[in-house]
Amino acid sequence: MTSSASIPEARPQQEILGEWVQRDRESIESLFGMKLERIVELARTDEGKQELLQRMKQIDPSLNGNANKALATVKENAEQAKKKEGFFKKMLLLPVRSVVSVGKGIIRHPILSILIVLATYGLVVWQLPKILGYLQTLANANAGNAIGKAAEYLQSFLAFSKGTTGKAGADLFKRLPDTM
Amino acid sequence: MNILFLTAEEQKVFEALPANLKEGWQVEGASLVSERPEELTVRQGMASFDQPELRAACERLAEAKEGAAYEKAMHSLDADAFTREQLAEIFFVLGVDALTHFIAYVLSQLKTDEDMELVSALTHIRSMLSEVNASQS
């Protein structure tokens, strides 16, 4: 009879799904041992999905009940990796003048820089409830106005990003003071 | 490249601006394709934000105590922190709708040619993001 001590603790679903999200083409191809385009192609057919699932179970034998959700995550990750490449190529064509203009413009509007830094670098924003409170004040004070709407949108965005952090966000979390 | 890619609603705001600010700018219609929430979630998981100055700004925000201090925390930020690559990373994660809100904000505060340059640049970035969103992988 197996003792309870030998039964592994179930990992949270979000953690399992998060492990399947890779940063870029190189990471995805390295994990799966196949080209990104092949993964995207396989994810489009029933047979292809079965092949991908088999590969995923080789990578992570504990993948069982979450297999279909993990597969959906892998498909999305592969598609977004291609879109990211496409977007970055387009951004290379943006004139220097425009890049400088955006950088200076964000600085010139501190509200924009706060929102951008919070929504990207502040991925562990649930550690910063006072800033969210401040954004709510802005939203109320500027009800119907542009910054109010931007703050409201990003609050909803930030709320749904809770608990999902890029590597930089996770490092930041460890160094933040115990606030609030 | 004095073009602004504006939605119908944004064009109304633009039309109401003083003539001296609008002079020299050409407006073209914007066709937007926004991301699904699932796409944005995966994009966040893919992102790596490691620009030291922006990380430091986030730490200053965490230490600030009240409203004005949050804005002050941003004052020492340098525009050089926003490199082309960093902007690409940021806007890919934030998505089309966030950019639309930013554009609406800047249009509502617009006073200078520099602000108009900013709107133009943001609308170009938003168009590029929309094109990519619309593309088949």
Side-chain angles (χ1 to χ4, degrees), chain A residues 14 21-24 28 40 44 73 76-88 90-123 128 130-131 134 138 146-147 149-150 153-154 157 160-162 164-169 171-172 175-177 179-180, chain B residues 1-2 9 25 36-52 54-55 57-59 61-68 70-71 74-75 77-79 82-95 97-98 101-102 104-106 108-109 112 114-115 117-122 124-125 128-129 131-137:
Chain A
Q14 188 54 45
V21 176
Q22 302 296 307
R23 183 176 175 194
D24 53 20
I28 294 170
V40 171
R44 286 188 179 146
T73 298
E76 193 69 75
N77 187 198
E79 288 175 354
Q80 291 308 312
K82 291 211 69 178
K83 288 187 190 229
K84 190 171 178 178
E85 283 180 344
F87 179 61
F88 272 53
K90 287 180 187 287
M91 281 292 285
L92 285 176
L93 300 175
L94 197 68
V96 171
R97 164 185 156 198
S98 294
V99 174
V100 170
S101 171
V102 173
K104 287 186 173 173
I106 291 170
I107 304 293
R108 207 164 54 246
H109 297 277
I111 298 297
L112 279 189
S113 51
I114 289 172
L115 290 174
I116 285 171
V117 163
L118 276 186
T120 51
Y121 281 74
L123 292 175
L128 305 168
K130 277 190 181 173
I131 295 181
Y134 171 62
L138 278 183
I147 195 54
K149 287 180 182 171
Y153 171 73
L154 280 172
F157 183 96
F160 108 115
S161 76
K162 262 183 214 174
T164 64
T165 65
K167 193 174 154 201
D171 290 345
L172 191 59
R175 288 159 54 199
L176 282 176
T179 55
M180 308 99 198
Chain B
M1 191 164 102
N2 287 2
E9 206 173 295
W25 291 95
R36 289 173 286 110
E38 303 78 48
E39 291 182 285
L40 292 178
T41 302
V42 166
R43 288 183 187 186
Q44 286 178 21
M46 293 166 67
S48 176
F49 294 112
D50 52 10
Q51 212 287 343
L54 294 176
R55 286 167 61 91
C58 208
E59 291 183 21
L61 275 178
E63 288 160 6
K65 298 277 185 281
E66 40 77 34
Y70 297 135
E71 296 186 36
M74 297 289 112
H75 282 171
L77 206 49
D78 195 278
F82 295 102
T83 61
R84 185 186 298 270
E85 292 73 25
Q86 191 61 175
L87 288 175
E89 197 81 48
I90 285 169
F91 290 124
F92 188 69
V93 165
L94 289 181
D97 290 349
H101 284 295
F102 294 158
Y105 168 66
V106 181
S108 73
Q109 309 286 307
T112 65
E114 281 180 317
D115 283 337
E117 292 262 6
L118 173 59
V119 172
S120 173
L122 289 176
H124 275 261
I125 293 170
M128 292 191 289
L129 201 43
E131 281 170 19
V132 159
N133 287 344
S135 67
Q136 271 270 331
S137 299

Side-chain angles (χ1 to χ4, degrees), chain A residues 47-58:
Chain A
E47 275 178 14
K49 283 176 187 171
Q50 288 309 309
E51 189 179 326
L52 268 179
L53 268 173
Q54 274 180 17
R55 179 72 188 114
M56 288 166 69
K57 285 176 182 172
Q58 284 172 350

